[in-house]
């Protein structure tokens, strides 16, 4: 973004886009410094109400009566929306269609083939694509009507219905902190201790059954032999991809997700416990192994199976760390099934997506996140450079659209260490909204435990705190879930408190003019925790803003090249820095309108911060 970069000399280390360098930070200094017209340096006052030691909160319903999206007015049909539109335009006997048929999960492929032959004989060739999926060419309207009446048929779709694949909503592998740090920072560990909740409802944490809180994981599968997920924790299993009858994971993503939500941490006791270690799991494999393309027909089958088995396995919450960029029309059946599950009183938490690092940066939510009501974005916790949005987390938009303008809520999903499939007891670190989503599912499981075990009959609400802009926004949605307060509220307990030992300062609606620097003076009174700042550019036209930081004792008006640092990011509309062991004193944190005027939000986190 900024052509001129400089040197900052400080004790400790600074994080550059995920890479940490200790000591002197050299970044192509030109030796002249950033000497600016004093009139261009605008000292701003931070509202005292924006300095949060104890976060300001509000209640957020998990399940609501109304939906924001169109509802199907047509009667229930096995024919997909796109194919129905084709049929309406071509009802004459001369027109034929090429379609795919998904076999209902209650019937075998052989049973479907027998019924199909009884209905059509040899007049229509049936070609098997894969397990429970068939191709039929040159079928006419009247034949389609007959085919739809077979109870063995789950879905009939146009062959053009599912061109864009589904995929796991994960980022790249990185070296990161353990799961214990994330659950500690969001208040889960203390809530489990204070309110005696784990997801276990039958009084025996070593035995798993439908009597416990049950989390369904829709993903690549679950390795039920990993020590964090063994012992019968996976109480039910459905494989929409290969039809195998025992749990497995040939990709690893689902195992990682499952252990975040409910892993016991046996492989690293006291460090790697998931959010709700006493909960039981239902594994639903809808994505194939590594290197293979996810088929949305499998996603649909898996969700239909969950819908049909909600009562049988007493499923209380569904986690779906799966995303797609496909059109609404091509995913309408999947979206409708998600909403049907929710209508039964079971929330489905969906990953918001990881397209925030790619152009156009905004309006990049996954299709499932756009058209369902409980999607989850990814933030960094204070150990990882937050509180602040992870660069890859998909964003919504301020434009006038007919779908969600942002995620539902956010929680940490950056650099989360959790179970590695097919290793027995090892762990791997991954980042993405895939990792943030089971954090939310696990918190809901603990809330359910808290309410159920105490006989609380009222609805369950998340307690959240606002982030970024004021109110609901395209980056953070309704805000960050406060796990401790949410569980406390679900239990209807009056005592108990949680402190992150961090001060969170927010400038929600800043605006800088081209060429100016908005300055914010923040005093660091303790070096015990990192000093982190996140700048989000709120306009959606690739405006160029940078962060400029002056160290304690420096003068912003003199531009000494040894005392300030310019953070530049060539891609996403955000900047961040993270300084470990920050020297005490007053820092000037500037928002620089390098090439544009733009609106922004600024978030600063540290230990014992005050505003000057």
């Amino acid at each position: 973004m900024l052509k001129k970069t400089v040197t900052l000399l400080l004790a400790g280390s600074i994080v550059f886009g995920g890479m940490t360098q200790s000591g002197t930070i050299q970044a192509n200094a030109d030796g002249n410094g950033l000497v600016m017209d004093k009139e261009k340096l605008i000292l701003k006052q931070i509202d005292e109400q924006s300095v949060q030691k104890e976060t300001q909160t509000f209640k957020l319903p998990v399940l609501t009566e109304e939906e924001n999206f169109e509802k199907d007015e047509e009667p229930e049909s096995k024919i997909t929306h796109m194919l129905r539109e084709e049929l309406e335009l071509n009802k004459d006997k001369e027109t034929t269609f090429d379609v795919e048929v998904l076999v209902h999960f209650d019937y075998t492929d052989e049973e479907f083939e027998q019924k199909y032959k009884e209905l059509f004989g040899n007049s229509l060739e049936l070609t098997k694509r894969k397990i429970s999926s068939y191709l039929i060419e040159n079928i006419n309207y009247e034949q389609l009507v007959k085919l739809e009446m077979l109870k063995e048929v789950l879905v009939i779709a146009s062959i053009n219905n599912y061109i864009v694949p589904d995929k796991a909503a994960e980022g790249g592998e990185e070296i990161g902190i353990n799961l214990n740090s994330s659950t500690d920072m969001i208040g889960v560990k203390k809530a489990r201790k204070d309110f005696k909740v784990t997801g276990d409802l039958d009084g025996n944490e070593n035995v798993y059954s439908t009597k416990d809180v049950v989390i369904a994981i829709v993903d690549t599968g679950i390795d039920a032999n990993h020590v964090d997920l063994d012992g019968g924790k996976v109480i039910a299993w459905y494989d929409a991809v290969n039809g195998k009858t025992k749990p497995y994971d040939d990709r690893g993503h689902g195992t990682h997700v499952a252990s975040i939500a409910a892993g016991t941490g046996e492989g690293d006791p006291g460090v790697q416990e998931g959010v709700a270690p006493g909960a039981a799991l239902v594994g639903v494999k809808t994505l194939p192994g590594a290197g293979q393309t996810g088929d949305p027909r499998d996603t649909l089958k898996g969700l239909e199976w969950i819908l049909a088995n909600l009562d049988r396995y007493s499923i209380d919450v569904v986690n779906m760390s799966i995303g797609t960029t496909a059109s609404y029309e091509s995913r309408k059946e999947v979206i409708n099934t998600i909403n049907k599950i929710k209508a039964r009183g079971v929330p489905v938490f969906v990953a918001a997506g990881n397209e925030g690092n790619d152009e156009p940066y905004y309006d990049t939510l996954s299709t499932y996140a756009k058209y369902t009501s409980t999607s989850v974005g990814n933030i960094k916790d204070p150990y990882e450079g937050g509180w602040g949005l992870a660069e890859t987390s998909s964003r919504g938009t301020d434009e006038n659209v007919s779908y969600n303008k942002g995620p539902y809520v956010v929680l940490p999903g950056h650099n989360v260490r959790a179970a590695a499939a097919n290793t027995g007891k090892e762990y791997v670190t991954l980042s993405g909204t895939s990792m943030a989503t089971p954090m939310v599912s696990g918190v809901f499981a603990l809330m359910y435990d808290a309410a159920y075990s105490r006989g609380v009959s009222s609805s369950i609400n998340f307690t959240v705190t606002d982030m970024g802009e004021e109110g609901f926004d395209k980056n953070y949605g309704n805000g960050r879930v406060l796990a401790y307060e949410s569980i406390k509220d679900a239990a209807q307990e009056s005592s108990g408190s949680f402190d992150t030992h961090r001060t969170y300062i927010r400038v929600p609606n800043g605006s800088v003019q081209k060429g100016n620097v908005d300055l914010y003076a923040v005093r660091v009174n303790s070096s015990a925790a990192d000093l982190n700042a996140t700048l989000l550019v709120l306009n959606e036209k690739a405006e160029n803003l940078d962060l400029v930081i002056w160290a304690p004792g420096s003068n912003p008006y003199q531009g000494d090249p040894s005392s300030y640092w310019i953070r530049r990011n060539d891609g996403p509309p955000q900047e961040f820095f993270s300084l470990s062991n920050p020297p005490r004193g007053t820092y000037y944190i500037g928002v620089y309108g390098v090439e544009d005027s733009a609106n922004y939000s600024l978030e600063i986190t540290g230990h014992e911060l005050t505003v000057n």
Side-chain angles (χ1 to χ4, degrees):
M1 284 182 173
L2 185 64
K3 298 296 188 293
K4 184 184 296 180
T5 52
V6 297
T7 303
L8 173 64
L9 296 175
L10 285 176
S13 61
I14 295 179
V15 174
F16 286 85
M19 298 296 291
T20 302
Q21 302 180 19
S22 298
T24 301
I25 306 303
Q26 184 75 35
N28 301 322
D30 65 5
N32 296 321
L34 181 65
V35 180
M36 300 186 66
D37 186 336
K38 292 181 180 181
E39 294 183 358
K40 298 292 187 180
L41 296 172
I42 313 299
L43 186 62
K44 300 280 188 176
Q45 296 297 315
I46 297 176
D47 186 349
E48 288 288 346
Q49 292 184 344
S50 295
V51 181
Q52 301 178 16
K53 185 67 185 293
E54 295 184 1
T55 48
Q56 301 166 358
T57 66
F58 64 95
K59 299 294 185 285
L60 181 66
V62 179
L63 297 168
T64 56
E65 293 297 325
E66 69 280 352
E67 290 289 347
N68 296 324
F69 320 111
E70 61 171 307
K71 291 184 171 65
D72 282 340
E73 298 299 330
E74 65 266 17
E76 196 76 20
S77 173
K78 297 177 182 178
I79 298 174
T80 65
H81 171 71
M82 287 179 69
L83 181 55
R84 285 200 304 273
E85 289 187 339
E86 289 184 46
L87 294 176
E88 289 300 315
L89 295 174
N90 301 281
K91 285 187 176 181
D92 60 278
K93 294 182 181 180
E94 304 302 321
T95 303
T96 61
F97 307 87
D98 296 338
V99 302
E100 294 183 69
V101 178
L102 302 185
V103 179
H104 197 284
F105 41 77
D106 284 341
Y107 300 92
T108 66
D109 288 1
E110 290 74 18
E111 288 172 328
F112 166 69
E113 290 174 7
Q114 177 63 34
K115 291 294 183 181
Y116 183 86
K117 187 171 183 179
E118 291 175 4
L119 184 62
F120 297 115
N122 296 319
S123 62
L124 274 177
E125 183 178 356
L126 186 67
T127 303
K128 189 167 185 175
R129 292 183 59 255
K130 53 181 287 187
I131 182 172
S132 302
S133 178
Y134 292 83
L135 173 64
I136 304 173
E137 296 180 319
N138 300 318
I139 187 170
N140 63 35
Y141 178 83
E142 290 183 357
Q143 291 169 324
L144 274 170
V145 172
K146 293 179 181 178
L147 180 64
E148 186 183 16
M149 296 178 66
L150 291 180
K151 63 181 183 297
E152 292 81 6
V153 170
L154 177 67
V155 173
I156 306 171
S158 165
I159 61 170
N160 297 317
N161 213 116
Y162 301 117
I163 296 174
V164 181
D166 282 5
K167 59 183 179 180
E170 67 182 343
E173 181 177 339
E174 302 177 48
I175 298 173
I177 57 175
N178 53 57
L179 186 53
N180 175 68
S181 300
S182 297
T183 56
D184 179 39
M185 188 53 67
I186 66 176
V188 161
K189 282 187 66 179
K190 193 168 190 297
R192 288 198 303 247
K193 178 181 177 181
D194 287 0
F195 307 120
K196 305 297 186 290
V197 291
T198 65
D200 169 55
L201 294 179
D202 60 12
N204 189 340
E205 291 206 20
N206 297 316
V207 176
Y208 304 97
S209 71
T210 58
K211 295 180 181 179
D212 296 316
V213 180
V214 178
I215 306 171
I217 305 293
V218 182
D219 216 290
T220 64
I222 300 176
D223 175 12
N225 293 315
H226 192 285
V227 293
D228 286 12
L229 301 166
D230 62 2
K233 179 175 276 287
V234 182
I235 63 171
W237 168 257
Y238 177 67
D239 182 1
V241 179
N242 298 312
K244 295 183 179 181
T245 57
K246 293 184 178 180
Y248 70 100
D249 188 355
D250 51 4
R251 186 166 181 169
H253 185 269
T255 298
H256 196 270
V257 167
S259 71
I260 293 172
T264 62
E266 183 181 338
D268 198 352
V271 175
Q272 283 302 136
E273 273 188 318
V275 179
L281 295 171
V282 169
V284 180
K285 181 175 176 63
T286 64
L287 291 178
Q292 301 179 59
T293 301
D295 190 330
R297 287 157 288 213
D298 295 333
T299 305
L300 178 59
K301 286 190 67 178
L303 290 168
E304 290 279 6
W305 183 89
I306 288 175
L307 182 62
N309 287 279
L310 285 174
D311 294 334
R312 180 179 180 183
Y313 297 113
S314 190
I315 297 170
D316 301 302
V317 55
V318 178
N319 189 96
M320 187 171 160
S321 293
I322 294 174
T324 183
T325 57
S327 68
Y328 168 75
E329 288 74 18
S330 70
R331 293 299 188 273
K332 190 171 183 179
E333 280 67 37
V334 174
I335 292 164
N336 285 347
T337 305
I338 292 171
N339 290 328
K340 288 176 186 177
I341 293 170
K342 178 190 168 184
R344 294 276 298 275
V346 177
V348 182
F349 295 109
V350 175
N354 300 312
E355 310 300 326
N357 215 22
D358 302 318
E359 294 182 356
Y361 307 119
Y362 284 107
D363 197 14
T364 54
L365 293 175
S366 163
T367 304
Y368 298 141
K370 285 180 176 179
Y371 293 100
T372 60
S373 60
T374 46
S375 66
V376 181
N378 175 20
I379 59 172
K380 299 175 181 179
D381 67 41
Y383 291 117
E384 290 294 322
W387 301 109
L389 190 72
E391 291 92 329
T392 58
S393 188
S394 289
R395 303 171 178 85
T397 180
D398 288 331
E399 297 297 320
N400 185 21
V401 293
S402 61
Y403 43 79
N404 284 326
K405 293 188 173 185
Y408 171 61
V409 292
V410 294
L411 267 185
H414 184 73
N415 284 1
V416 179
R417 182 174 179 251
N422 309 312
T423 65
K425 59 178 182 179
E426 300 301 321
Y427 299 92
V428 64
T429 299
L430 297 173
S431 295
T433 54
S434 277
M435 287 67 247
T437 304
M439 289 281 188
V440 175
S441 297
V443 170
F444 180 85
L446 295 182
M447 293 164 63
Y448 191 97
D449 182 344
Y452 183 90
S453 59
R454 290 165 173 78
V456 175
S457 59
S458 60
S459 60
I460 295 177
N461 298 313
F462 281 129
T463 302
V464 299
T465 187
D466 201 8
M467 294 185 71
E469 297 178 79
E470 292 281 3
F472 181 91
D473 71 85
K474 58 194 174 189
N475 293 302
Y476 296 107
N478 289 292
R480 170 167 53 95
V481 173
L482 301 177
Y484 187 93
E485 288 79 1
S486 297
I487 296 162
K488 177 182 175 181
D489 182 67
Q492 294 189 0
E493 294 283 351
S494 58
S495 62
S497 62
F498 171 70
D499 188 351
T500 64
H501 301 289
R502 300 292 189 278
T503 306
Y504 173 70
I505 298 172
R506 178 171 65 125
V507 179
N509 300 107
S511 181
V512 65
Q513 297 301 307
K514 179 180 177 180
N516 285 0
V517 178
D518 285 357
L519 289 176
Y520 298 92
V522 175
R523 181 169 181 80
V524 174
N525 299 298
S526 169
S527 301
D530 296 350
L531 176 64
N532 306 321
T534 299
L535 168 68
L536 299 181
V537 183
L538 302 180
N539 307 77
E540 301 180 28
K541 306 298 183 184
E543 286 83 359
N544 187 355
L545 303 185
D546 283 329
L547 271 177
V548 189
I549 301 93
W550 281 265
S554 64
N555 188 333
Y557 298 93
Q558 293 179 355
D560 182 350
S562 67
S563 62
Y564 66 85
W565 172 52
I566 299 175
R567 175 73 177 104
R568 60 186 298 275
N569 194 335
D570 293 326
Q574 71 181 78
E575 309 283 347
F576 83 97
F577 81 88
S578 180
L579 176 62
S580 64
N581 304 311
R584 298 182 183 185
T586 298
Y587 291 76
Y588 287 93
I589 300 175
V591 178
Y592 181 19
V594 186
E595 298 173 346
D596 304 284
S597 300
N599 299 322
Y600 63 87
S601 68
L602 177 65
E603 295 159 289
I604 306 166
T605 305
H607 187 229
E608 296 185 7
L609 304 183
T610 54
V611 295
N612 288 7

